[in-house]
Amino acid sequence: MSLHLQAGVSSAGRVVASHGRDASVLDDSGRRIHCRLQGRRLAVVCGDRVLWIAARSEGTAGIIVEVLPRANLLARLTLRGEAEPVAANLTQLVAVVAPVPAPDFGLCDRYLAAAEWNGLRACIVANKSDLAGQAQLLAAVLDDYSRIGYAVLHASRRSADGAAALRERLAGETSVLVGQSGVGKSSLTNVLVPGVEAAVDVVSRARATGRHTTSTSSLYGLPSGGELIDSPGVRDFSPPLPAPRAVVDGFREIAGISGHCRFRDCLHRREPGCAVAAACDDGRISARRFASYRRLLELAETMAERAPPRVRR
Ligand SMILES: Nc1nc2c(ncn2[C@@H]2O[C@H](COP(=O)(O)OP(=O)(O)OP(=O)(O)O)[C@@H](O)[C@H]2O)c(=O)[nH]1
Ligand SMILES: [Mg+2]
Ligand SMILES: [Zn+2]
């Protein structure tokens, strides 16, 4: 199929990979188009729906001229306090953990909070289940997540059972795999999307570094239905934070109890009559999860102080 588009007439497409000013766009017929962004102001991420026009310049087939409104946006907070987009138009976040590298469950909690604030479904994949001895170390923490209603799926690139359950969970969803670098997100992607290694994306080929870590997110269609975004692993992650009072909504088991606190604006820092404090004391809320909540609350307060003061009337 050739690009016989009338000058100035735009077509719709989906960003399946992006790097800097380059992006790969899938059009409605499933054709992959190498695009550049028009102007300086546009920025796209994987999952974005865009309008593009045919380009005349060599090496580029299209030019993205507009980003359509996003249903939601997963973003990370940069050191400068800005929100950097990670992926858009998601329905599900899949937090991947493994016995190796040493798991950071605080990071997992921050991803889950981002999912809750964005109204995304969320689940946890305990990957590398073949490392059985070490996997036991994770069991207690994973039980805590199950107890508060997060599905925990066990997987490994060698387990067909794990892959089947995961496929079922991903069907019909636009999911993003997130987690520490090296937990096996790309290995899982290779299991779930047959032939993905063959489908080398124009963006990453141009930037081949010889390293095996993922440097840019890619979106793949799943044969069993749904879409999967493999994202680069992180050392740390914090989502942009809501107002301090809304932080609790990122922690479903704490939010569930907070309605019973004496004060409606209770932030659960040992205020009198705090039902959350009572639930921490009797073990209904895990100390580890509560510490994650407190850390994000403090960060949200710092960010709120930093925000420019409102103009006085
Ligand atoms: N034992 C075992 N090792 C695995 C499994 N899956 C992946 N690995 C290994 O873990 C390492 C990291 O795998 P990747 O798939 O590149 O991890 P990733 O999460 O995509 O890492 P980033 O792209 O850096 O975020 C590689 O050495 C894999 O061989 C598994 O199921 N079991
Ligand atoms: Mg990877
Ligand atoms: Zn309280």
Short mmCIF file of all heavy atoms in Angstrom, two decimals, residues 93-97 107-108 111-112 122-126 176-179:
data_model
loop_
_atom_site.label_atom_id
_atom_site.label_comp_id
_atom_site.label_asym_id
_atom_site.label_seq_id
_atom_site.Cartn_x
_atom_site.Cartn_y
_atom_site.Cartn_z
N LEU A 93 -2.58 -1.34 34.46
CA LEU A 93 -1.16 -1.29 34.80
C LEU A 93 -0.75 -2.65 35.36
O LEU A 93 -1.44 -3.19 36.23
CB LEU A 93 -0.93 -0.17 35.82
CG LEU A 93 0.50 0.01 36.32
CD1 LEU A 93 0.85 1.50 36.40
CD2 LEU A 93 0.72 -0.64 37.68
N VAL A 94 0.35 -3.18 34.84
CA VAL A 94 0.85 -4.47 35.32
C VAL A 94 2.22 -4.23 35.96
O VAL A 94 3.19 -3.93 35.27
CB VAL A 94 0.98 -5.47 34.15
CG1 VAL A 94 1.50 -6.82 34.66
CG2 VAL A 94 -0.36 -5.65 33.43
N ALA A 95 2.25 -4.32 37.29
CA ALA A 95 3.51 -4.10 38.01
C ALA A 95 4.25 -5.43 38.06
O ALA A 95 3.75 -6.41 38.63
CB ALA A 95 3.22 -3.58 39.41
N VAL A 96 5.43 -5.47 37.45
CA VAL A 96 6.19 -6.72 37.41
C VAL A 96 7.25 -6.69 38.51
O VAL A 96 8.00 -5.71 38.64
CB VAL A 96 6.86 -6.92 36.03
CG1 VAL A 96 7.57 -8.27 35.95
CG2 VAL A 96 5.83 -6.79 34.91
N VAL A 97 7.28 -7.76 39.31
CA VAL A 97 8.32 -7.90 40.34
C VAL A 97 8.97 -9.27 40.15
O VAL A 97 8.41 -10.14 39.50
CB VAL A 97 7.75 -7.79 41.79
CG1 VAL A 97 7.13 -6.42 42.02
CG2 VAL A 97 6.72 -8.89 42.06
N LEU A 107 8.43 0.91 45.40
CA LEU A 107 8.27 1.27 43.99
C LEU A 107 6.96 0.70 43.45
O LEU A 107 6.19 1.38 42.77
CB LEU A 107 9.46 0.72 43.20
CG LEU A 107 9.52 1.01 41.71
CD1 LEU A 107 9.95 2.44 41.47
CD2 LEU A 107 10.49 0.05 41.02
N CYS A 108 6.71 -0.55 43.79
CA CYS A 108 5.48 -1.23 43.35
C CYS A 108 4.26 -0.46 43.88
O CYS A 108 3.30 -0.21 43.15
CB CYS A 108 5.51 -2.66 43.88
SG CYS A 108 4.16 -3.67 43.31
N TYR A 111 3.64 2.68 41.85
CA TYR A 111 2.99 2.37 40.58
C TYR A 111 1.50 2.07 40.79
O TYR A 111 0.65 2.52 40.02
CB TYR A 111 3.66 1.17 39.89
CG TYR A 111 4.84 1.55 39.03
CD1 TYR A 111 6.11 1.07 39.30
CD2 TYR A 111 4.68 2.38 37.92
CE1 TYR A 111 7.20 1.41 38.50
CE2 TYR A 111 5.76 2.73 37.12
CZ TYR A 111 7.01 2.24 37.42
OH TYR A 111 8.07 2.58 36.62
N LEU A 112 1.20 1.30 41.83
CA LEU A 112 -0.20 0.95 42.07
C LEU A 112 -1.00 2.21 42.41
O LEU A 112 -2.16 2.36 41.98
CB LEU A 112 -0.31 -0.08 43.20
CG LEU A 112 0.28 -1.46 42.89
CD1 LEU A 112 0.20 -2.36 44.13
CD2 LEU A 112 -0.42 -2.13 41.72
N ALA A 122 -5.37 -2.71 37.94
CA ALA A 122 -3.97 -3.00 38.23
C ALA A 122 -3.81 -4.42 38.71
O ALA A 122 -4.71 -4.97 39.35
CB ALA A 122 -3.45 -2.02 39.29
N CYS A 123 -2.70 -5.03 38.36
CA CYS A 123 -2.38 -6.35 38.89
C CYS A 123 -0.86 -6.45 39.03
O CYS A 123 -0.12 -5.56 38.60
CB CYS A 123 -2.93 -7.46 38.00
SG CYS A 123 -2.19 -7.53 36.37
N ILE A 124 -0.44 -7.51 39.68
CA ILE A 124 0.99 -7.72 39.92
C ILE A 124 1.41 -9.03 39.25
O ILE A 124 0.70 -10.04 39.39
CB ILE A 124 1.28 -7.78 41.43
CG1 ILE A 124 0.95 -6.41 42.05
CG2 ILE A 124 2.73 -8.17 41.72
CD1 ILE A 124 0.88 -6.42 43.55
N VAL A 125 2.51 -9.00 38.54
CA VAL A 125 3.06 -10.23 38.00
C VAL A 125 4.33 -10.55 38.78
O VAL A 125 5.27 -9.75 38.82
CB VAL A 125 3.37 -10.11 36.49
CG1 VAL A 125 4.22 -11.30 36.02
CG2 VAL A 125 2.08 -10.06 35.69
N ALA A 126 4.31 -11.69 39.47
CA ALA A 126 5.50 -12.18 40.17
C ALA A 126 6.25 -13.03 39.15
O ALA A 126 5.89 -14.18 38.89
CB ALA A 126 5.09 -12.99 41.38
N VAL A 176 0.15 -1.70 30.41
CA VAL A 176 1.56 -1.32 30.39
C VAL A 176 2.30 -2.16 31.43
O VAL A 176 1.83 -2.34 32.55
CB VAL A 176 1.76 0.20 30.64
CG1 VAL A 176 1.28 0.64 32.02
CG2 VAL A 176 3.22 0.61 30.45
N LEU A 177 3.42 -2.75 31.00
CA LEU A 177 4.28 -3.48 31.93
C LEU A 177 5.26 -2.48 32.54
O LEU A 177 5.98 -1.80 31.80
CB LEU A 177 5.09 -4.56 31.20
CG LEU A 177 4.34 -5.71 30.53
CD1 LEU A 177 5.35 -6.63 29.83
CD2 LEU A 177 3.54 -6.51 31.55
N VAL A 178 5.27 -2.39 33.86
CA VAL A 178 6.18 -1.46 34.53
C VAL A 178 6.93 -2.19 35.63
O VAL A 178 6.50 -3.24 36.11
CB VAL A 178 5.42 -0.25 35.14
CG1 VAL A 178 4.80 0.62 34.07
CG2 VAL A 178 4.37 -0.71 36.15
N GLY A 179 8.05 -1.61 36.03
CA GLY A 179 8.82 -2.21 37.12
C GLY A 179 10.30 -1.93 36.99
O GLY A 179 10.74 -1.26 36.04
#
